[in-house]
Each structure stands twice: as structure tokens, then as C-alpha cells.
Amino acid sequence: MEGLANFKEEVLNTCRHAYLYNDCAGFIPPSLIIQLDAHNGRTTAVRYIADEYKKANVLDFYTGINDYIELEFNETLSRAEEELAKITAAADYGNKFSGIIGADVIALAQNTSAAQLFLDGFFENFDGVALFFVPEKPSESERRFIEQMLARMERIKMIPADSYSASDYFRMLEQRLYSSGVLVSGMVSDDKLLKVITDANVKNIRELDGIIRLLLLHADFSGETPLVTPESVKNTLCTVKEIKK
């Protein structure tokens, strides 16, 4: 996983001290509040922490078929009830789910009753670790809700805000092209591909995926393996400039 250095350091530090958790009954690592916008790698972060905690035996994951689940709250009380019920349903082999939960929670800042239900009931049927996703630039009301979470919920901490750099996006682009079975011509320098990202002013992973689709659209498919050529990059840059007009 590229970027999100503060989040990864927190996860890896917990894994380095896994003995504190797998040798101590009832001792569970803290859940984390992550400032990360939608479409910017939330599911990737959930998968990452689930994989790392399972490899290091930080959590046992024994109560559910799935190692992780994802929840998305809106501002309504009924939706809060539905999402909390999913936690209970995920515990296939026990009373409480003991895996990872990724939860988009910030809409709860708009409804006091729904927020109250969430704050009181989230950990009632959950013995694992949650990633609570909030915006990278929260509003004043959203900041107050985050402060409520930190004050009222047990074993929870906030991770310092991370952001992806152009270099992070470049490495993601390379990985996605490779996983798509597409090669980059030796005549295309890293600087040229990085220029596509910077010229497009990529701000999240969804926008990066759009750039990748353009590169694939303009790739050379005349050989056995699709190839991103200097012409592919040139045409992609032209398309980006047209879109920005």
C-alpha cells in the first residue's frame, strides 16, 4: 500500500508488539480515526490492516467468516440501526465480531439521536479493531463529532492526517498498469508519467484511475502485450488539457 505513512506506522508498531495482544486475554489494540476522503483508498486501508493483523496474530478473527466488514452511516437513525445490526450479523461463530470494521461515520454529525446510538452501541457486539473514516478537512460540526468520539468511546485514537504525494500516485499508477498486464515502453521516462499526474492535478485515487483508463485507451495494442508508449503519454496529456479547459 502506497502513502498513508502515519497509518502504516501505527499498524506496523502494533504488529511489532503483537505479543501484548495475543498473550493477554481481553487486551485489544485501539481503533483508529483516519482522516481519509472517500475514493482515496479506504477499502485498501481496511484490507491492509486486516492482512497485517492476521499475519502478526494481533487479532484472532475467529468469530466471523469474513476478516473485515465495511459500514457506511448516513444522517438517519434508521440507517444507524441497520449498520450496527451488521456487526452482530458478522459474528458467525460467537457473540461478538472480532475482526476489522471500516466505517464511514461522519454523516452522524448531522443527527444527535443517530450519533448517540452509534457512540453508545458500536462496541456492544464488537471485540475487534475499527477504522473510523472522517474527511481530510472536516467542518466545525464534524470536528466536534470527532471530539465526542475520542471523549466517549474506549480504546480509540486519532491518527495524524496523511496525504498522498505525486510520487505515491506514480507508484500506484505503475502497480495498476502492471496488474492490468500493460507494460511501459523503455522510451517513456518516469518523469513523463509523473507529469501526467501533476498536470491532471490528481487529488484522489478515483481521479488516478481515470488517468490510468486514458493511458490504457491510448496504449499500443499491436503486439502481444499492450504497451504505453511516448505517443500514449502525449495523447493522454492532450486529453487531460482538454478536460481541464
Side-chain angles (χ1 to χ4, degrees), residues 207-225:
E207 292 181 0
L208 178 68
D209 287 339
I211 295 299
I212 293 170
R213 285 193 294 272
L214 287 176
L215 286 169
L216 294 177
L217 177 66
H218 295 301
D220 180 358
F221 286 86
S222 62
E224 292 184 3
T225 303

Side-chain angles (χ1 to χ4, degrees), residues 6-227:
N6 292 323
F7 166 63
K8 287 194 292 188
E9 178 57 30
E10 175 70 25
V11 171
L12 295 178
N13 184 59
T14 298
C15 291
R16 284 192 289 268
H17 298 87
Y19 63 91
L20 294 174
Y21 306 105
N22 56 37
D23 288 342
C24 301
F27 196 14
I28 302 170
S31 291
L32 308 174
I33 299 176
I34 311 290
Q35 289 180 259
L36 188 65
D37 289 340
H39 315 301
N40 220 8
R42 290 178 171 184
T43 295
T44 299
V46 171
R47 289 173 180 164
Y48 173 81
I49 193 173
D51 289 344
E52 294 300 319
Y53 280 10
K54 192 166 192 176
K55 285 189 295 185
N57 196 28
V58 172
L59 297 174
D60 51 39
F61 295 94
Y62 74 92
T63 62
I65 295 173
N66 298 308
D67 292 341
Y68 67 86
I69 61 172
E70 294 182 275
L71 309 178
E72 185 173 359
F73 293 84
N74 64 18
E75 70 281 2
T76 66
L77 181 60
S78 60
R79 179 64 170 267
E81 292 170 343
E82 290 171 5
E83 295 302 284
L84 292 175
K86 292 177 183 178
I87 302 175
T88 305
D92 303 286
Y93 308 119
N95 295 323
K96 295 187 177 184
F97 181 57
S98 60
I100 301 292
I101 294 177
D104 182 343
V105 298
I106 204 62
L108 293 165
Q110 309 305 317
N111 185 319
T112 302
S113 297
Q116 185 74 37
L117 181 66
F118 162 76
L119 292 168
D120 290 342
F122 188 87
F123 287 103
E124 190 173 296
N125 295 303
F126 180 48
D127 269 344
V129 171
L131 299 187
F132 297 114
F133 293 113
V134 300
E136 294 167 20
K137 296 179 180 179
S139 67
E140 184 59 36
S141 63
E142 291 169 345
R143 280 195 292 270
R144 288 196 297 269
F145 176 66
I146 292 168
E147 289 170 0
Q148 277 188 297
M149 291 177 64
L150 289 167
R152 295 188 48 189
M153 301 177 84
E154 297 181 358
R155 59 179 182 87
I156 182 174
K157 66 187 291 187
M158 189 162 184
I159 300 300
D162 278 306
S163 60
Y164 292 115
S165 67
S167 296
D168 292 331
Y169 286 127
F170 169 70
R171 288 190 291 271
M172 292 180 203
L173 183 147
E174 283 190 312
Q175 291 169 0
R176 281 164 164 74
L177 288 176
Y178 179 79
S179 64
S180 298
V182 179
L183 298 180
V184 177
S185 167
M187 298 175 66
V188 177
S189 68
D190 289 352
D191 287 344
K192 288 292 185 183
L193 283 177
L194 189 58
K195 180 175 172 56
V196 177
I197 292 169
T198 55
D199 280 13
N201 191 27
V202 170
K203 297 184 291 296
N204 57 52
I205 291 175
R206 172 178 279 185
E207 292 181 0
L208 178 68
D209 287 339
I211 295 299
I212 293 170
R213 285 193 294 272
L214 287 176
L215 286 169
L216 294 177
L217 177 66
H218 295 301
D220 180 358
F221 286 86
S222 62
E224 292 184 3
T225 303
L227 192 66

